[in-house]
DNA sequence: ATAAATTGAATTGTTTACAATTTAAAGTGA
DNA sequence: TCACTTTAAATTGTAAACAATTCAATTTAT
C-alpha cells in the first residue's frame, strides 16, 4: 500500500516541494528563492505593505517574514521602515532595483506552464476550484 | 489581482503548509512532526529500509533524512545500522516502541477527513488523479 | 488618567529542506 | 592489480517555517 493512499496529505507535501524545486533554476536569474519571489509579487502588486499584511496574503508569520525581509533588504530590493503614525508597524517599500526586477520577473515563464500545458481548460478550472475549496476549508478549521 | 491568479504554484505552497499545521496537534499525541510521521509510515509499511529507499518514497535526500532519522533514533523509535554486506548502506529498523506506535497512529483520524467530508466520491477521485498527474509531470521534467 | 489588554514585529529555539561537498565503500576497466 | 567511476550516506552552509516568547506601542476599559 503506497503512502499516498494511506496519507491523503502526502501528494500536497511532495508536489509543493517539487514546485519550489522547479522554480529554483528560473528564479536564480532574479537571485530569489521561491518564498522571496512570492513576497516580491505581493509588493509589486501593492507597494508599502506592512509585515502583517504580507503575512496575511501568504499565510506566514513574522517569525518567517522578518528574517526573509531582512535578506531582501540586504539585497537592496526593499526598505524596511517603522511607520511614524504607529511605531509598532513596519512598512516594506520597494527600492528602485526592487521595482526594476519586476520586468525580469514578468519575462519569466512559470515552470508550471509546462505541467498544465496538456490540460483541457475545463480541467484547469475544476482543479483550481477544488484547490480553493481545500484551502478555504483548512483556513476555516483552526 | 490576487497572488493565486498570478502565481499558479501558490495554492500548493499554502495548502501544503496548512496541512502540516493541521497535523501538528493530532501528531503531538505521537510526539512526531509531519515529516517524521511520513517516515514512520514508510517503515510501518516495510521495516528495514535503507536511507535512500525512504528518500525515494518521500522525495527527500540524505541531507534531510539523516538528521531526521537521528532524531527518531534519539526518541528510541528506530535503530540505524550499517549494512554488513555493503558498508555504505544504512538500514533503518523499527524498535519495539517504534512498532508499537503504529497502533496509536492507526487510531488517529486524519485532519484531512474533515476537509474532504462534504466532497462527492467522484470529485475526490478526479482530484486525486489530477494531483497524481501533476506529480508525475513534475518528476519527469528535471 | 492609568492599569490592563491588545497589537505588530522581533527574537529564540527547533525542525525541515536542499544544494554542494566530502568520505568511504563497492564496482569497473584496462 | 590499481586507477577511475559510481554509489550511499554524512556533512556543511543557507534559508524557511513555525511555536513560543518578548518587547514596545497603542487601545480599551474602568
Amino acid at each position: 500500500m503506497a503512502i499516498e493512499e494511506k496519507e491523503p496529505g502526502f501528494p500536497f507535501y511532495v508536489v509543493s516541494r517539487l514546485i519550489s524545486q522547479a522554480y529554483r533554476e528560473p528564479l536564480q536569474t532574479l537571485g530569489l528563492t521561491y518564498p522571496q519571489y512570492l513576497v516580491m509579487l505581493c509588493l509589486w502588486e501593492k507597494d508599502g505593505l506592512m509585515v502583517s499584511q504580507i503575512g496575511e496574503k501568504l499565510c506566514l508569520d513574522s517569525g518567517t517574514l522578518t528574517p526573509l525581509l531582512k535578506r531582501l533588504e540586504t539585497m537592496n530590493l526593499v526598505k524596511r521602515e517603522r511607520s511614524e503614525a504607529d511605531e509598532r508597524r513596519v512598512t516594506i517599500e520597494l527600492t528602485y532595483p526592487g521595482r526594476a526586477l519586476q520586468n525580469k520577473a514578468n519575462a519569466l515563464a512559470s515552470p508550471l506552464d509546462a505541467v498544465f500545458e496538456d490540460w483541457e481548460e475545463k480541467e484547469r478550472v475544476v482543479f483550481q476550484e477544488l484547490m480553493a475549496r481545500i484551502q478555504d476549508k483548512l483556513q476555516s478549521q483552526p
Side-chain angles (χ1 to χ4, degrees), chain A:
Chain A
M1 189 163 171
I3 189 164
E4 54 270 30
E5 293 160 48
K6 187 126 195 162
E7 179 34 56
F10 181 67
F12 298 93
Y13 169 76
V14 174
V15 166
S16 169
R17 285 187 297 110
L18 291 174
I19 289 174
S20 297
Q21 287 167 30
Y23 270 94
R24 194 171 306 269
E25 197 191 308
L27 284 180
Q28 273 184 353
T29 337
L30 312 183
L32 297 175
T33 65
Y34 187 63
Q36 289 168 1
Y37 170 64
L38 293 177
V39 168
M40 293 302 287
L41 280 178
C42 290
L43 294 169
W44 288 326
E45 191 201 325
K46 183 160 166 42
D47 196 2
L49 292 172
M50 291 166 49
V51 174
S52 55
Q53 291 176 312
I54 299 174
E56 218 169 305
K57 281 176 187 281
L58 303 184
C59 301
L60 292 171
D61 67 8
S62 66
T64 301
L65 285 174
T66 297
L68 188 155
L69 290 166
K70 283 183 179 173
R71 273 171 227 123
L72 292 180
E73 190 174 41
T74 302
M75 296 183 232
N76 197 30
L77 296 176
V78 306
K79 219 175 1 178
R80 295 161 61 247
E81 275 181 344
R82 288 271 160 199
S83 156
E84 287 183 27
D86 185 340
E87 295 241 341
R88 292 170 303 183
R89 302 180 178 188
V90 169
T91 286
I92 312 298
E93 300 194 17
L94 291 167
T95 59
Y96 182 79
R99 253 190 311 280
L101 198 64
Q102 188 176 16
N103 291 322
K104 267 201 200 178
N106 287 336
L108 283 188
S110 166
L112 286 188
D113 289 349
V115 170
F116 292 111
E117 71 188 350
D118 57 348
W119 285 42
E120 290 178 32
E121 187 54 26
K122 194 185 169 187
E123 286 177 320
R124 299 185 206 205
V125 173
V126 166
F127 184 77
Q128 269 184 18
E129 284 169 356
L130 295 177
M131 278 297 280
R133 256 171 81 187
I134 293 170
Q135 184 179 338
D136 287 348
K137 191 80 174 186
L138 283 167
Q139 281 175 318
S140 71
Q141 295 275 38

